[in-house]
Amino acid sequence: MMLDGGFRAVGSSSFAEFLATQAPDLLPSAPVGTVSGLDVTHGTTIVAATFDGGVVMGGDRRATMGNVIAQRDIQKVFPTDEFSCVGIAGTAGIAVEMTRLFQVELEHYEKIEGTTLSTDGKANRLATLIRGNLGMAMQGLAVVPLFAAYDLEAEQGRIFAFDVTGNKNEERTFHSVGSGSTFARGSLKKLYRSGMTETDAVTAVVQALYDAADDDTATGGPDLTRRIFPLISVITADGYRAWDESRTAAIADLVIGGRMQSPDGPSAPLT
């Protein structure tokens, strides 16, 4: 099979830019015409929090289509390379495509340049992909991911939030996106404190997702009958890893048990 000149030419290390010149119809932001009133699947809610030694990201499992539960066990948190992950909120199909493109983008850069992107560089590349989806966001197909990474140079976990225009902001302690984000952030204001361990941070994230589900119908809480629990990911100096589901289930059971005594949840101790 012969490759044309575009595949052999020296150019940018960005896979997205290469795809835009060779096959723009494969980009998530490719025009799709009018989508007003279209029933599409949406995903919510994503929460992230830093701790001593890394960062935790968690997402609930519910996807909605209007007032209907479209899926009860959707995956909303994805690893993007060895030291970063993305949580998706918004139009699920486009968000997953954008995440896959971002994964390829980081791998492509590493193969072309012989080194990995810096944490800020990764966040900037994701911001560019989000900005490229602005036209579809204006038609109602918005994607607003949350990005978390362990910065090997700074030796700490970092969190980046975006808006639909690709504007990037770093959050120093915790953040949440999605329809239940307001309630999740309110919960973390009570629970977050400096010096948390990994388990402390995971527990706080599960508590925040519980509070989001308590007040937002689009966010799914722990499903005890089906044993469906939030997906939790942790990134440290050792790299990305998904938390074992049995450990998440044990924490969720403790959280639910505590809510039987205190429905509004715990508060962080005064310091």
Side-chain angles (χ1 to χ4, degrees), residues 46-48 57 85-87 144-148 159-162 175-177:
I46 306 298
V47 179
M57 180 177 286
C85 69
V86 164
V144 185
L146 188 62
F147 178 66
I159 301 169
F160 294 88
F162 307 84
H175 196 68
S176 180
V177 296

Side-chain angles (χ1 to χ4, degrees), residues 59-143:
D60 80 299
R61 308 296 299 278
R62 177 176 292 177
T64 59
M65 186 181 294
N67 66 324
V68 176
I69 297 176
Q71 188 174 347
R72 300 180 187 276
D73 59 353
I74 189 173
Q75 180 179 355
K76 301 180 187 178
V77 179
F78 299 87
T80 47
D81 70 358
E82 187 179 359
F83 292 98
S84 65
C85 69
V86 164
I88 60 171
T91 307
I94 296 175
V96 171
E97 278 197 42
M98 184 181 293
T99 300
R100 289 171 178 166
L101 179 58
F102 184 50
Q103 292 168 335
V104 176
E105 178 87 348
L106 298 185
E107 184 178 354
H108 181 77
Y109 180 92
E110 184 174 351
K111 289 181 177 179
I112 295 298
E113 299 294 337
T115 185
T116 57
L117 265 172
S118 66
T119 300
D120 288 290
K122 295 172 188 177
N124 289 336
R125 288 294 174 96
L126 182 55
T128 300
L129 294 179
I130 297 169
R131 190 176 304 115
N133 191 60
L134 182 58
M136 298 186 75
M138 298 295 289
Q139 298 179 71
L141 300 179
V143 175

Side-chain angles (χ1 to χ4, degrees), residues 187 190-191 207-208 210-211 214 255-256 258-268:
S187 178
K190 298 187 302 178
L191 301 174
Q207 291 275 14
Y210 187 104
D211 280 323
D214 201 32
V255 168
I256 293 170
R259 296 297 177 118
M260 298 297 290
Q261 303 299 321
S262 179
D264 293 328
S267 296

Side-chain angles (χ1 to χ4, degrees), residues 49-52 172-174 187-201 203-204 266-271:
T50 59
F51 64 93
D52 278 358
R172 300 292 180 180
T173 51
F174 59 83
S187 178
L188 283 172
K189 282 184 179 180
K190 298 187 302 178
L191 301 174
Y192 186 88
R193 63 187 184 276
S194 61
M196 287 198 303
T197 66
E198 179 180 313
T199 302
D200 290 338
T203 303
S267 296
L270 296 176
T271 58

Side-chain angles (χ1 to χ4, degrees), residues 30-40 135-136 138-141:
V32 296
T34 301
V35 296
S36 177
L38 185 66
D39 286 333
V40 293
M136 298 186 75
M138 298 295 289
Q139 298 179 71
L141 300 179

